[in-house]
Amino acid sequence: MTDKAGWEPKEQRLGPVVRRRDQVRPGTTDQRLLDTAGPSDFVHQDPWRVMRIQSEFVEGFGTLAELGPAISVFGSARTPVDAPEYDKGVRLGKALAEAGFAVITGGGPGAMEAANKGALEAGGTSVGLGIELPFEQGMNPYVDIGINFRYFFVRKTIFVKYAQGFVVLPGGLGTLDELFEALTLVQTQKVTRFPIVLFGTAYWQGLLDWVRDSVVAGGKASERDMELFHVTDDIDEAVTLVVKEASR
């Protein structure tokens, strides 16, 4: 482009952006992309982390979009293979698969492995949602579809989004985190028709007593919040409860 005086301003087109005169940048976008030189600290900054977070949501959503009805099963990674709790986890996974549900766990060992094993043996779909930890757990061998996450909050979203309910086996802090996250979502009506079953009355009774006698009695929650979950020792009852509420 030339004006009447024959002067030709510099113009640069970078995708949809036009830059002229002293706003022109050296090189091209491809050149900067392919150039291996230059600072790399951007990979440790928040804008780049946002892209990683987005990519984890995209992978999770894309992988499980067609999973079908599923139940998330939580429990301790420290449950020994020869423990009665492990056997119950296997039987629970089988029963859920036979009822037509895929089984989603954290993909690790212990109770998670047990539920995945039961689902696989019953011919159901066995899903593991792993998490990056300082101590490596790895994906248990009974997982059909496995996704590893960097961020807990992305993983927790996937647990809820693709499940019709939770069954919670005895577990530690991670299990409690998932349990109270789900209870909060149901209490605040962020999710609806979402059954939560605590499996193992002896294990959970102390927590339930504290919630009733301290939290509810102290006015920090309402009596009806005790109805947000069910407690059982019976596998058939646990499956019946999630099937009944999930199908409403």
Side-chain angles (χ1 to χ4, degrees):
M1 183 176 67
T2 304
D3 63 13
K4 293 181 180 180
W7 178 71
E8 185 175 340
K10 293 179 67 176
E11 181 175 283
Q12 181 183 50
R13 295 182 179 271
L14 302 172
V17 178
V18 175
R19 289 182 173 272
R20 290 175 175 161
R21 292 172 284 278
D22 59 352
Q23 294 299 314
V24 171
R25 294 179 175 177
T28 66
T29 303
D30 272 345
Q31 184 181 10
R32 286 189 294 275
L33 172 66
L34 300 174
D35 190 353
T36 57
S40 61
D41 60 336
F42 69 93
V43 300
H44 305 295
Q45 297 173 358
D46 284 345
W48 191 253
R49 290 191 181 101
V50 170
M51 297 299 292
R52 285 198 187 122
I53 292 166
Q54 178 178 302
S55 72
E56 291 202 351
F57 277 117
V58 169
E59 286 295 337
F61 292 171
T63 301
L64 301 182
E66 299 176 341
L67 178 63
I71 299 295
S72 289
V73 178
F74 299 100
S76 176
R78 304 182 186 186
T79 301
V81 175
D82 58 354
E85 289 174 7
Y86 187 95
D87 178 65
K88 291 177 182 177
V90 174
R91 289 161 54 201
L92 175 65
K94 285 183 179 179
L96 289 169
E98 289 168 352
F101 291 100
V103 171
I104 305 173
T105 79
M112 296 175 281
E113 177 182 297
N116 284 134
K117 180 180 180 181
L120 183 65
E121 290 180 349
T125 303
S126 177
V127 180
L129 306 181
I131 186 69
E132 177 184 283
L133 295 173
F135 42 92
E136 185 60 45
Q137 288 186 333
M139 198 72 69
N140 74 65
Y142 304 104
V143 168
D144 292 318
I145 302 172
I147 310 171
N148 280 301
F149 294 89
R150 289 185 177 93
Y151 302 99
F152 266 118
F153 63 88
V154 178
R155 181 186 187 230
K156 288 198 287 187
T157 299
I158 303 299
F159 269 130
V160 175
K161 181 173 175 58
Y162 292 101
Q164 276 66 55
F166 282 180
V167 178
V168 190
L169 299 169
L173 296 181
T175 302
L176 292 172
D177 178 43
E178 297 291 353
L179 168 60
F180 280 99
E181 174 92 6
L183 289 172
T184 301
L185 291 172
V186 176
Q187 182 202 47
T188 57
Q189 299 183 19
K190 293 294 186 179
V191 294
T192 55
R193 297 189 302 277
F194 198 85
I196 301 169
V197 178
L198 305 183
F199 192 88
T201 54
Y203 186 84
W204 294 111
Q205 193 58 55
L207 176 64
L208 302 183
D209 291 342
W210 174 77
V211 172
R212 183 186 61 249
D213 299 338
S214 295
V215 181
V216 174
K220 307 299 188 296
S222 67
E223 184 66 36
R224 65 186 178 192
D225 290 334
M226 298 295 293
E227 301 173 4
L228 298 177
F229 52 85
H230 310 276
V231 190
T232 184
D233 291 310
D234 186 85
I235 290 172
D236 290 336
E237 182 181 16
V239 174
T240 298
L241 286 168
V242 294
V243 170
K244 179 181 178 181
E245 290 202 25
S247 61
R248 284 181 182 177

